Amino acid sequence: MGVGKSTVGQLLADRLGVVYRDTDDDIVAEQGRSIAEIFVDEGEPAFRAIEKQAVHRALAEHEGVLALGGGAILDADTRALLAGQRVAYLSMEVEEAVKRTGLNAARPLLAVNPRKQWRELMEARRHLYEGVATAVVATDGRTPEEVTQAALDALELKDV
């Protein structure tokens, strides 16, 4: 959350001359409401089912840069589909997350004691992110352009 996946994803797509797509945007468009509203109205398990379908559809259809929501890798089937793909995990530390997002209540999984919850989410997920990643790109203290170049270099991709 707040790592810059949308900004960096779009920059990567532009540099590679391909289309950018974000599965969170797909979900919002399909559901006609925000992800936070889905969490509140239906709960996390219902959202994760919707997310899984959106991610699997996007992986089957899309050939450009694809950004996934932070919880997408919780699903074992999704992790299996990511095997063999070029996957960049954009990482950051909690101090950077605070600077970027303020860890505010608009993030449904961080509504109470955001710093503690962010740390717990990362402890639970970091090994999953690293397990699917072809490259880990630190974003702390870097501009989106610097992160984009680091991702291109780490993934051994050449821009157009």
Side-chain angles (χ1 to χ4, degrees):
M1 291 175 258
V3 75
K5 71 178 177 64
S6 299
T7 301
V8 171
Q10 186 62 63
L11 288 170
L12 274 172
D14 292 347
R15 296 266 305 262
L16 294 169
V18 298
V19 175
Y20 169 76
R21 182 171 174 177
D22 186 322
T23 57
D24 284 351
D25 293 341
D26 291 352
I27 292 166
V28 170
E30 180 183 289
Q31 295 293 312
R33 56 197 166 139
S34 71
I35 289 171
E37 289 173 312
I38 298 167
F39 264 83
V40 169
D41 294 345
E42 299 182 37
E44 185 175 0
F47 171 75
R48 294 296 173 211
I50 293 166
E51 179 181 53
K52 178 179 178 173
Q53 290 175 351
V55 169
H56 288 221
R57 185 170 44 253
L59 286 169
E61 298 171 355
H62 186 69
E63 294 185 11
V65 174
L66 181 63
L68 306 182
I73 49 80
L74 296 173
D75 179 72
D77 294 335
T78 297
R79 291 193 306 274
L81 285 175
L82 291 170
Q85 303 285 331
R86 286 186 175 152
V87 177
Y89 160 42
L90 304 181
S91 69
M92 76 177 161
E93 298 302 321
V94 69
E95 293 78 16
E96 187 79 6
V98 169
K99 282 191 251 176
R100 292 184 190 186
T101 69
L103 294 179
N104 60 32
R107 308 278 183 179
L109 291 179
L110 302 177
V112 179
N113 196 347
R115 285 177 190 251
K116 180 177 183 263
Q117 288 179 303
W118 190 90
R119 281 189 181 102
E120 287 173 359
L121 279 174
M122 287 310 301
E123 286 173 18
R125 294 178 180 181
R126 189 177 311 270
H127 73 284
L128 298 174
Y129 294 144
E130 291 172 349
V132 300
T134 308
V136 178
V137 180
T139 65
D140 298 65
R142 288 178 157 173
T143 67
E145 292 76 15
E146 290 170 332
V147 174
T148 300
Q149 187 59 56
L152 285 168
D153 293 345
L155 293 169
E156 299 179 354
L157 295 169
K158 302 290 182 215
D159 49 324
V160 291

